[in-house]
Amino acid sequence: MAEAIYVGGLLVATPLLDDPNFRRSVVLILEHDHDGGTLGVVLNRPSDISVTQVLPVWDPLVTGPPVLFEGGPVQTDSALALAAVPSGEEPLGWRRLHAGTPAVSRLGTVDLDAPPEILQGEIAQMRIFAGYAGWTSGQLESEIAEGAWYVVDSEVGDTFYADPGSLWRHVLRRQHGELAFVATCPDDPTMN
């Protein structure tokens, strides 16, 4: 039986998932519709491309590291930005995620065509993702049933985690029971 997929939840790649796009990835679900599919962004794949190279006007608002993140294999030539607001206000150029979880209640997408000045001082943290992860209706549920993903709750610091390279282990380590032990799985299981 598949676990519940919901906006604001995390998909954590199991050690069985060896697709290079998603190996050891942590995906934040941004949209989920049983009929329309699921959309999310990979939180732990910083690229080597600085924000100043691609979207220099947004660089002052980006939370470190100041690089584009590889959000997923779909539409990698487009950018999507997530930002957290410090209060319950909804500033111009920012749209709240429709999620009922406190961990992402102040998280939303940024209109990158808007002038950055309107969000200056209005957002607390921001990251820009090149591309996104997408699944058609039923596809993600099938992958979960096959053992490719764990579905877990997100916490406030996950989206802008300071050390993205260790986010996969960090998220697994805080889980209950046997799932926490998965964090100790070596990068190459054959070396175990």
Side-chain angles (χ1 to χ4, degrees):
M1 183 172 133
E3 298 168 50
I5 301 164
Y6 61 95
V7 173
L10 295 178
L11 297 173
V12 180
T14 71
L16 299 174
L17 183 58
D18 61 358
D19 175 336
N21 292 308
F22 295 112
R23 188 175 185 282
R24 299 234 168 173
S25 65
V26 177
V27 178
L28 177 67
I29 301 297
L30 303 179
E31 294 177 14
H32 178 67
D33 180 340
H34 292 289
D35 301 321
T38 306
L39 181 144
V41 290
V42 177
L43 298 177
N44 59 333
R45 291 274 163 76
S47 74
D48 294 329
I49 303 167
S50 72
V51 172
T52 55
Q53 288 176 267
V54 185
L55 295 161
V57 296
W58 289 100
D59 186 62
L61 298 179
V62 170
T63 304
V67 296
L68 287 180
F69 278 68
E70 297 172 14
V74 182
Q75 292 188 358
T76 56
D77 58 345
S78 66
L80 182 154
L82 289 177
V85 293
S87 66
E89 300 297 313
E90 291 200 24
L92 285 173
W94 180 87
R95 186 174 60 97
R96 184 180 309 280
L97 290 184
H98 295 289
T101 60
V104 294
S105 65
R106 294 187 175 165
L107 197 60
T109 55
V110 172
D111 178 358
L112 292 171
D113 292 328
E117 300 78 40
I118 65 171
L119 285 165
Q120 188 79 38
E122 298 292 325
I123 59 173
Q125 296 172 300
M126 179 173 149
R127 282 204 173 142
I128 301 175
F129 301 86
Y132 63 88
W135 294 266
T136 57
S137 180
Q139 182 184 7
L140 181 56
E141 290 84 350
S142 294
E143 290 181 16
I144 291 167
E146 292 167 3
W149 299 100
Y150 302 118
V151 181
V152 302
D153 293 331
S154 60
E155 289 187 359
V156 174
D158 292 341
T159 303
F160 305 104
Y161 197 65
D163 180 15
S166 68
L167 182 62
W168 185 82
R169 280 195 164 89
H170 172 77
V171 169
L172 286 170
R173 204 174 290 125
R174 72 175 184 235
Q175 302 308 312
H176 300 290
E178 293 181 16
L179 192 51
F181 291 115
V182 177
T184 63
C185 184
D187 286 337
D188 183 356
T190 62
M191 302 302 288
N192 197 3

